[in-house]
Amino acid sequence: MRSHYCGQVNETLVGETVTLAGWVNRRRDLGGVIFIDMRDRDGIVQVVFDPEQSAAIDKADSLRQEFCIQIEGKVLARPEGQINSDMKTGKIEVLAQQLTILNRSNALPIDFNSEVSEEQRLRFRYLDLRRPVMNDKIRFRAKVTSFVRRFLDGQDFLDIETPMLTRATPEGARDYLVPSRTHKGKFFALPQSPQLFKQLLMMSGFDRYYQIVKCFRDEDLRADRQPEFTQIDIETSFMSAEQVREVTEKLVRELFQELLNVDLGDFPSMPYSEAMSRYGSDKPDLRNPLELVDVADILKDVEFKVFAGPANDAKGRVAAIKVPGGAAKLSRKNIDDYAKFVEIYGAKGLAWLKVNDIAQGRDGLQSPILKFLPDEALTPLLERVAAEDGDILFFGADSAIVVTEALGALRLKLGEDLELNENGWRPLWVVDFPMFEATDEGLFALHHPFTAPVGVTADELEANPEAAISNAYDMVLNGCEVGGGSVRIHDSALQSAVFRILGISDEEANEKFGFLLEALKYGTPPHAGLAFGLDRLVMLMVGAQSIRDVIAFPKTTTAACVLTDAPGYANTQALDELGIAVKALKEKG
Amino acid sequence: MRSHYCGQVNETLVGETVTLAGWVNRRRDLGGVIFIDMRDRDGIVQVVFDPEQSAAIDKADSLRQEFCIQIEGKVLARPEGQINSDMKTGKIEVLAQQLTILNRSNALPIDFNSEVSEEQRLRFRYLDLRRPVMNDKIRFRAKVTSFVRRFLDGQDFLDIETPMLTRATPEGARDYLVPSRTHKGKFFALPQSPQLFKQLLMMSGFDRYYQIVKCFRDEDLRADRQPEFTQIDIETSFMSAEQVREVTEKLVRELFQELLNVDLGDFPSMPYSEAMSRYGSDKPDLRNPLELVDVADILKDVEFKVFAGPANDAKGRVAAIKVPGGAAKLSRKNIDDYAKFVEIYGAKGLAWLKVNDIAQGRDGLQSPILKFLPDEALTPLLERVAAEDGDILFFGADSAIVVTEALGALRLKLGEDLELNENGWRPLWVVDFPMFEATDEGLFALHHPFTAPVGVTADELEANPEAAISNAYDMVLNGCEVGGGSVRIHDSALQSAVFRILGISDEEANEKFGFLLEALKYGTPPHAGLAFGLDRLVMLMVGAQSIRDVIAFPKTTTAACVLTDAPGYANTQALDELGIAVKALKEKG
């Protein structure tokens, strides 16, 4: 029904007849001549209905926005003054000779040219997606997945599907459950990730696996989460952590080179401890020049208990952030707002110090806590942070967790507010994570319980679990974790030890992971892998504000689809067949 | 950890040192020398531990089947007499110099070399999949999906994901339901196909879409169905049925050429009516030379009511199948068994006639019904079927539905039993389906209710729905429907008319498909598509007996996973949070 896409019609076709199919993007009438901006997936071209040259002029008069049309016409060079150099097709126009109205359109419920609420955009998603700005994002995503597949196919990875109807996991509280009709009273779970299946695929000898796969998490949707999201899931046998990082780094580097013409260079590696200490985050945004500087050693002898307390506590931390040029830029009001901001992270206050004129000594400084800082602390403090005139220092002094989180968050906020972030892309690997995180309720796995520790036996691990470092790695890009993975445990004794450390009894482990523990007994190869969050990666690449913009049919922040009105009520007969009943009937009203 | 895959070590590497990683496939001891068949995903190579030349001989002595090992060794040409020309690596062996045992294996619960129950194979699927015969099937599947993606990418199709958590459909009885935590008492449904979303993608202007996507159907699993299965899902805008068939036929033709070196040629098209009349099936297996031959006109005046009744009934059918050479091959016992077989399809008997010596006239024929057939029927009957000496004829006389189904099934059974089917591949398109099927409960859509009729307006369709032909097409290969599709309705009046014809009230249509009917009002383009059943296509290509053999982790025929023991019981807290309760507790015991 077409000879060319609209966006392909250019000056090389002048004089030729083309057939186009698409939509009326815009219509203008000028002195009896009708101009249509005709749009399809590839672009926009100007179509002219001229009463003196076009038989279709009468029919064209009925055209309205988003009518679906087919035209046949002759490509003409635009007169000199009418060339539009902003348009790919701006040097030509198409003089319509035939017009077929394929479908009419009611007046649109959303205006393509002004801000529309996200609710309306999602309700009429099929119209929202017609907008080039949205259409391009989804097309870009298709280019990303196509590139990723070609790259991994080229590296001998096998695309293998894993089940969607799976066994509930221990983190089951966040599982979507699916009642079984055949086995009444029992439930499948939708996978939070194909983790165990990809390990089973390594045990099956497939050597290199990948899958671009939907995963599910039924949780309160924070700002930018989706109940169903997509992973680029990768697993390998007989490869070290370094080799997995090498191949996945190459994938991302070539992806950026091919689709964005950006050279990401080699990714630096940073231990988790350094990331937390210098950036207050396990996914540091290196575009932001600010750093956390530890100053506990300098302040541990001051009388000011706010500082001295945490400085002398093994679990405390005292650190400063220096904002160059911040003294003049930040008003008292700004500083108060930042103090409130860090309260979110548990900080009880936010001490600050402005360096107005360092040559004047104390008189050149301004701070509510100046009086608590004797010279023998102040001088080395200013030296440690390399303070210069115009700087402002912020201080955090509390438990290490609170200081790290609060200053880590403050660092990001200052970077944004003061537009300190450099442009471009700053990837890195964060490595050497602790195996376990200690909480009041016991030890938790920082990654997942199938992650291998570095260089310890099962006995050594159980003897001192908190000291163990995991062989895990996160790929971080501009402050987002875009991928994460690890070497997995391939030894059943070590796997059992990790379950015990996590407080999972042998009985519970057997019930939940018996098949895994058993599989580990039959020559499981060493294996390691990684998973990328595709939605987030694409979001970063296209510069979208939300992953919802790179998903064709996303759910709202309350996990609903306003387009199809899902979820909905099930009919009683269906529930009967499943052997379940809805308790919350009162909501149905 | 390896320099080569096992299967890649060949005579070009003689004299070189290689590092291999894989499994002990088999171990033999010959006069103190240990021979290991070492296996990885790519093949098997013979590794030799020679006490006179190999330091690793002691460690090698502990090797057992399926130990996971790494070896370093020197590639040697095999002595003349020991060359194994059946093996890719049969001209060489590797003299082991270093051995690392990466993981040990318990004695295997399944024997790789003898028949094992499917239950055991599925329970230890990770071992079952290590067998080259299984590993190859899954690898082949990955090659198929990779080829399909490259082909469709090359044709400007966009890979776009559609939701897995969707609205329940009207065929909802077979939906897997997913209770929502956020919206208690409400349910998502897992998609039986992305049909409506792919239509919405066309309404969104994406022009050409594809997705290799999981679909779900919660039904009693017949012989070879899976609760989750995979579709190659395709949709296009502005393309005719012929164009969709052309591109999808090209896809399959090139797929067979590339992966099987088979030229499928051009696919013939056959109207549904012809397929039913000649083959008694809407997916005829053209490898089978037998055909149904209508003989009602010849038999309508005989006194034998069994024939004359249906022959004079507008809804009846009388037809014959001629089996060349069948007279001698089929015993009375065989014929009785076939009579029982057709009873499954509602036939009340199976008349037959053996042609022993046609030159002798009646004396050369043998049949219980010979006496009911006067010469004026017998002669044209034998002419119509071109009977020759040695043939047997089977007759069906009943309602058209029963005769068509029974003789269609008998045709397939005879083809198999008598090994009549030719080898090779016989693809075809079945086209010109009726829009609706009349049943006692009203009209049903033969495809789905979004299928467009050929050449009628909404009014014309409503006036005479049973006469309407749909613009649908099935791709059939060797008697399997491997793909099916249609032109879709892009006009809201026509869509509403189809809903009414199907007995769906306007109110019900609006509740269930309001979003579709609304979307049709905003310049929906003409669109058409097709979906392939990937599992079945791969099964045919690799010659597997079941789709379970081409799915890494299939469910059993009772829709369970015996490997992970899913589905399982949910904990009460999880159910509470979902606002549902299990009624069938007694099953829990």
Side-chain angles (χ1 to χ4, degrees), chain A residues 1-2 5 21-23 41 66 68 102-107 109 123-124 126-127 129-130 135 138-139 141-142 145-146 149 153 156 158-167 173-188 190 197 200-201 203-208 214 216 218 228 230 238 490 515 518-519 521-525 534 552-553 555 558-560 563-570 575-584 587, chain B residues 1-2 5 21-23 41 66 68 102-109 123-124 126-127 129-130 135 138-139 141-142 145-146 149 153 156 158-167 173 175-188 190 197 200-201 203-208 214 216 218 228 230 238 490 515 518-519 521-525 534 552-553 555 558-560 563-570 575-576 578-584 587:
Chain A
M1 293 182 73
R2 61 158 68 90
Y5 280 111
W23 287 266
R41 144 183 138 170
E66 294 310 311
C68 183
L102 298 169
N103 218 341
R104 311 174 76 82
S105 174
N106 286 356
R123 172 148 157 54
F124 297 98
Y126 47 91
L127 295 177
L129 288 173
R130 281 190 203 170
N135 214 283
I138 304 295
R139 290 184 67 188
R141 181 181 175 123
T145 54
S146 176
R149 291 180 189 284
D153 286 352
D156 281 335
L158 298 173
D159 177 5
I160 304 178
E161 293 175 74
T162 53
M164 292 281 117
L165 297 172
T166 69
R167 187 179 165 83
R174 300 296 121 196
D175 280 339
Y176 275 102
L177 295 179
V178 184
S180 160
R181 192 185 311 264
T182 322
H183 306 272
K184 273 189 198 178
K186 291 190 173 185
F187 295 81
F188 293 104
L190 299 179
F197 285 104
L200 288 167
L201 286 173
M203 297 168 185
S204 306
F206 287 109
D207 207 79
R208 295 186 173 199
K214 278 279 175 74
F216 303 85
D218 190 2
E228 50 181 303
T230 306
F238 307 114
H490 69 282
F515 66 98
E518 182 159 29
K521 290 175 187 158
Y522 300 105
T524 293
L534 176 65
F553 301 104
K555 302 285 187 292
T558 61
L563 168 57
T564 61
D565 194 18
Y569 293 109
L575 295 180
D576 276 352
E577 284 183 26
L578 295 172
I580 61 173
V582 170
K583 292 194 296 183
E587 281 189 68
Chain B
M1 293 180 73
R2 61 157 67 93
Y5 280 109
W23 287 267
R41 146 183 137 171
E66 295 308 311
C68 183
L102 297 170
N103 217 341
R104 311 174 75 81
S105 174
N106 286 356
L108 297 193
R123 171 147 158 53
F124 297 98
Y126 45 91
L127 295 177
L129 288 174
R130 282 190 204 169
N135 214 283
I138 305 295
R139 289 183 68 190
R141 182 181 173 120
T145 54
S146 176
R149 291 180 188 286
D153 286 353
D156 281 335
L158 299 173
D159 177 6
I160 304 177
E161 293 175 74
T162 53
M164 291 283 117
L165 297 171
T166 68
R167 185 179 167 83
D175 280 339
Y176 276 102
L177 295 180
V178 184
S180 160
R181 192 184 311 264
T182 323
H183 306 273
K184 273 189 198 179
K186 290 189 175 186
F187 296 81
F188 292 104
L190 300 179
F197 285 105
L200 287 167
L201 286 173
M203 297 167 184
S204 305
F206 287 109
D207 206 76
R208 296 185 175 201
K214 277 281 175 73
F216 304 84
D218 190 2
E228 49 181 302
T230 305
F238 306 115
H490 69 281
F515 66 98
E518 182 160 28
K521 291 176 185 155
Y522 300 104
T524 293
L534 176 65
F553 302 105
K555 301 285 186 294
T558 61
L563 167 59
T564 62
D565 194 18
Y569 293 108
L575 296 180
D576 276 352
L578 295 172
I580 62 172
V582 170
K583 292 193 294 184
E587 281 189 71

Side-chain angles (χ1 to χ4, degrees), chain A residues 275-292:
Chain A
M276 296 303 274
S277 138
R278 289 174 61 189
Y279 305 102
S281 168
D282 59 358
K283 43 179 196 282
D285 187 344
L286 299 184
R287 295 173 307 170
N288 180 324
L290 305 180
E291 291 194 20
L292 279 59

Side-chain angles (χ1 to χ4, degrees), chain B residues 239-248 429 471-473 486-487 528:
Chain B
M239 277 172 79
S240 64
E242 290 72 24
Q243 287 170 320
V244 171
R245 289 203 292 269
E246 191 181 308
V247 70
T248 52
W429 288 105
N471 209 343
Y473 32 83
S486 65
V487 173

Side-chain angles (χ1 to χ4, degrees), chain A residues 471-545:
Chain A
N471 209 344
Y473 32 83
D474 281 356
M475 186 189 287
V476 175
L477 183 60
N478 290 3
C480 282
E481 183 203 322
V482 291
S486 65
V487 173
R488 326 299 184 184
I489 295 169
H490 69 282
D491 176 81
S492 63
L494 189 56
Q495 186 65 69
S496 294
V498 168
F499 286 149
R500 278 193 297 275
I501 290 166
L502 293 172
I504 301 171
S505 70
D506 284 359
E507 191 192 348
E508 192 183 348
N510 268 323
E511 198 204 311
K512 285 179 175 162
F513 302 113
F515 66 98
L516 181 77
L517 291 169
E518 182 159 29
L520 287 168
K521 290 175 187 158
Y522 300 105
T524 293
H527 57 292
L530 180 140
F532 290 103
L534 176 65
D535 309 298
R536 202 159 300 277
L537 183 63
V538 175
M539 180 192 85
L540 284 176
M541 291 183 80
V542 301
Q545 292 306 305

Side-chain angles (χ1 to χ4, degrees), chain A residues 284-289 411 420-426 478-479:
Chain A
D285 187 344
L286 299 184
R287 295 173 307 170
N288 180 324
R411 172 180 173 270
L420 302 174
N421 295 354
E422 40 177 278
N423 288 323
W425 302 97
R426 291 295 300 273
N478 290 3

Side-chain angles (χ1 to χ4, degrees), chain A residues 208-480:
Chain A
R208 295 186 173 199
Y209 143 93
Y210 85 96
Q211 191 183 190
I212 299 183
V213 61
K214 278 279 175 74
C215 302
F216 303 85
R217 207 168 295 152
D218 190 2
E219 61 192 342
D220 301 332
L221 296 175
R222 275 182 272 158
D224 206 17
R225 291 276 182 95
Q226 284 282 308
E228 50 181 303
F229 53 98
T230 306
Q231 276 186 195
I232 304 170
D233 199 43
I234 290 173
E235 195 78 7
T236 70
S237 297
F238 307 114
M239 278 173 77
S240 65
E242 291 71 24
Q243 288 170 320
V244 171
R245 289 203 292 270
E246 192 180 307
V247 69
T248 52
E249 178 177 323
K250 189 163 186 277
L251 164 60
V252 171
R253 195 163 45 234
E254 293 192 7
L255 176 67
F256 272 70
Q257 189 68 58
E258 169 113 350
L259 296 190
L260 295 179
N261 200 24
V262 163
D263 180 6
L264 291 178
D266 287 334
F267 297 11
S269 278
M270 183 181 292
Y272 171 83
S273 57
E274 181 183 342
M276 296 303 274
S277 138
R278 289 174 61 189
Y279 305 102
S281 168
D282 59 358
K283 43 179 196 282
D285 187 344
L286 299 184
R287 295 173 307 170
N288 180 324
L290 305 180
E291 291 194 20
L292 279 59
V293 179
D294 276 289
V295 292
D297 56 322
I298 296 173
L299 296 170
K300 68 180 166 29
D301 295 326
V302 301
E303 282 183 37
F304 187 43
K305 286 283 176 271
V306 172
F307 283 173
N312 286 293
D313 181 344
K315 291 192 169 174
R317 185 176 184 189
V318 186
I321 291 180
K322 178 186 74 173
V323 186
K329 282 187 201 151
L330 296 178
S331 67
R332 191 60 198 252
K333 165 85 171 63
N334 295 139
I335 295 172
D336 287 349
D337 287 346
Y338 289 130
K340 277 213 188 84
F341 174 75
V342 294
E343 279 175 21
I344 300 169
Y345 302 90
K348 288 180 284 286
L350 181 67
W352 55 273
L353 186 156
K354 282 186 176 179
V355 183
N356 296 324
D357 183 356
I358 207 161
Q360 292 190 37
R362 281 186 174 269
D363 289 348
L365 304 177
Q366 178 189 355
S367 167
I369 58 159
L370 195 57
K371 54 181 175 291
F372 302 122
L373 299 175
D375 286 345
E376 56 271 30
L378 193 57
T379 308
L381 177 67
L382 294 175
E383 259 172 41
R384 169 80 51 91
V385 302
E388 293 182 15
D389 291 355
D391 292 351
I392 184 169
L393 305 181
F394 290 105
F395 297 91
D398 207 313
S399 71
I401 292 171
V402 165
V403 169
T404 303
E405 282 205 3
L407 291 191
L410 179 62
R411 172 180 173 270
L412 293 180
K413 188 154 175 56
L414 287 165
E416 252 177 51
D417 290 355
L418 302 177
E419 296 178 1
L420 302 174
N421 295 354
E422 40 177 278
N423 288 323
W425 302 97
R426 291 295 300 273
L428 78 155
W429 288 104
V430 177
V431 297
D432 295 345
F433 292 84
M435 274 291 279
F436 303 104
E437 193 170 18
T439 74
D440 294 344
E441 292 158 62
L443 293 178
F444 281 83
L446 211 74
H447 276 76
H448 54 60
F450 316 108
T451 306
V454 177
V456 288
T457 64
D459 289 343
E460 288 164 354
L461 184 70
E462 284 202 86
N464 191 5
E466 291 193 49
I469 295 295
S470 74
N471 209 344
Y473 32 83
D474 281 356
M475 186 189 287
V476 175
L477 183 60
N478 290 3
C480 282

